[in-house]
Amino acid sequence: MRIWICDDNNEAISSLSEIIEEIGSHPLETFVDPVHMLKALKNCDAANVPEIVFLDIELKTDQTGFDVFEQISQINKSILIIFITAYSNEYAQEVLLRTDNPFGYLTKPFEADYVRQYLNKASHVHRQGRFLCCKFKGKEFHIKESSILYLESAKHVTKIVTNHGTYRVYEKISELLPRLSNHFIACHKSYLVNLEAVNRLYPNMLVLENGKEIPISRSAKAKVRSAFNEFLKSQMPQSLDEFQNQSDLSNSSEYSCDRQELIDNGILILDSGNSDEETSDVIEQQ
């Protein structure tokens, strides 16, 4: 996940940055001036928009963190805001009253376990709402990223294997990888694997939760091992509160479509024994 920190206290930025870097490998940018941060947000392309902004409430400007929050929401409502403050009780009620959808509230000095819980929860929220946009035979459709197990290059077609079927697209793996989250790793020139679907890591292969064995090329061994270790590190340990919070999140999607046309056009090959209950994993654009 891409993370930004906005705080006019350099010591606070340094402390929080160290915790985040210890938890996992996340692209991180820091700002002491909210004006500079808002300008950067307006000018950055879609691939570099942060998923999370840690935002200080008391800023040495004519704006508070609440004012900046409102401006961020006008630019991009999908960014999750975690307010940070040195005053644990003073702003708690105001956070709830003045903001439509506060994602978190973190007090200084920062505790690594709380930061980890917020990052895990944010990752879960974004993954549930993230789709991979693809085209095949002139048709555009979106596949729910969390349903993807792996991608395989086969001649001129890339197969996108999900937990309910296989999609085919005329796009290279190298073209699809930048559109996926960092939970996907290129373990071989012909494969991209979703680390969330990995059950076991061996020196020469990954074994997925469905038993599928994916080869690891010699040149990718170190990168795969490091990525898998970072992924595990970012996921554990989970507290009971976090588990309960994640269990309360709905797995359903607000989107649905009839996939028969995708099937008729050879885009989607359903696995046997699959039901129609999973149609929310793909959206077709007419």
Side-chain angles (χ1 to χ4, degrees), residues 162-165 259 268 270-279:
T162 73
N163 54 24
H164 59 268
R259 293 186 292 178
L268 169 61
L270 289 177
D271 288 342
S272 60
N274 201 43
S275 71
D276 291 334
E277 295 177 356
E278 294 162 330
T279 56

Side-chain angles (χ1 to χ4, degrees), residues 156-172:
H156 302 296
V157 175
T158 294
K159 296 191 295 183
I160 304 173
V161 181
T162 73
N163 54 24
H164 59 268
T166 300
Y167 300 84
R168 301 189 302 156
V169 297
Y170 287 133
E171 292 186 81
K172 296 178 181 178

Side-chain angles (χ1 to χ4, degrees), residues 56 58 159 193 213:
D56 190 25
E58 283 203 339
K159 296 191 295 183
V193 172
E213 297 178 353

Side-chain angles (χ1 to χ4, degrees), residues 14-281:
S14 178
S15 173
L16 184 54
S17 297
E18 287 179 8
I19 292 172
I20 292 170
E21 289 168 358
E22 288 176 1
I23 290 172
S25 179
H26 299 283
L28 180 64
E29 289 191 50
T30 62
F31 302 86
V32 294
D33 187 341
V35 175
H36 292 163
M37 182 195 68
L38 290 168
K39 183 178 180 180
L41 185 58
K42 290 177 181 177
N43 294 330
C44 74
D45 54 44
N48 293 307
V49 172
E51 279 89 358
I52 303 175
V53 172
F54 287 90
L55 179 61
D56 190 25
I57 294 176
E58 283 203 339
L59 299 165
K60 296 175 183 177
T61 66
D62 56 353
Q63 300 186 94
T64 68
F66 300 117
D67 300 321
V68 177
F69 169 84
E70 292 174 0
Q71 294 174 72
I72 292 174
S73 297
Q74 290 174 4
I75 299 170
N76 191 322
K77 292 184 179 295
S78 69
I79 298 172
L80 302 177
I81 305 297
I82 299 175
F83 287 108
I84 54 180
T85 181
Y87 305 95
S88 58
N89 297 319
E90 184 173 345
Y91 294 107
Q93 291 299 325
E94 198 167 358
V95 166
L96 297 174
L97 289 172
R98 290 195 54 179
T99 58
D100 295 329
N101 187 25
F103 185 73
Y105 182 74
L106 198 61
T107 58
K108 306 172 185 178
F110 305 114
E111 293 188 30
D113 187 54
Y114 287 131
V115 176
R116 184 190 300 275
Q117 289 183 53
Y118 274 129
L119 294 186
N120 286 343
K121 184 179 177 183
S123 176
H124 180 82
V125 169
H126 275 289
R127 290 274 292 156
Q128 289 302 309
R130 185 163 181 155
F131 288 78
L132 174 65
C133 176
C134 303
K135 288 185 178 181
F136 188 81
K137 294 184 178 180
K139 295 193 175 294
E140 183 176 293
F141 56 99
H142 295 70
I143 306 170
K144 197 171 184 180
E145 189 179 280
S146 59
S147 73
I148 299 173
L149 302 178
Y150 66 94
L151 294 83
E152 180 182 1
S153 176
K155 295 183 179 180
H156 302 296
V157 175
T158 294
K159 296 191 295 183
I160 304 173
V161 181
T162 73
N163 54 24
H164 59 268
T166 300
Y167 300 84
R168 301 189 302 156
V169 297
Y170 287 133
E171 292 186 81
K172 296 178 181 178
I173 276 182
S174 58
E175 296 171 338
L176 294 170
L177 180 57
R179 308 210 297 265
L180 292 163
S181 72
N182 58 7
H183 284 186
F184 286 80
I185 184 73
C187 60
H188 188 279
K189 66 179 181 179
S190 299
Y191 289 93
L192 293 180
V193 172
N194 182 356
L195 293 175
E196 289 191 341
V198 175
N199 188 37
R200 289 178 181 270
L201 169 64
Y202 292 102
N204 298 314
M205 75 172 71
L206 292 162
V207 179
L208 306 188
E209 57 191 18
N210 65 352
K212 172 71 175 179
E213 297 178 353
I214 305 291
I216 302 174
S217 66
R218 183 178 301 176
S219 60
K221 282 184 179 181
K223 179 179 66 175
V224 171
R225 186 184 304 111
S226 175
F228 190 57
N229 286 340
E230 287 292 338
F231 170 74
L232 293 178
K233 184 179 177 182
S234 71
Q235 300 299 305
M236 299 173 60
Q238 289 189 340
S239 71
L240 178 60
D241 289 342
E242 181 196 359
F243 176 79
Q244 291 173 337
N245 286 336
Q246 291 189 0
S247 298
D248 290 340
L249 292 170
S250 172
N251 289 325
S252 63
S253 169
E254 61 180 308
Y255 306 105
S256 64
C257 78
D258 181 3
R259 293 186 292 178
Q260 189 58 48
E261 190 171 358
L262 298 180
I263 297 170
D264 292 342
N265 282 278
I267 299 171
L268 169 61
I269 303 170
L270 289 177
D271 288 342
S272 60
N274 201 43
S275 71
D276 291 334
E277 295 177 356
E278 294 162 330
T279 56
S280 63
D281 285 342

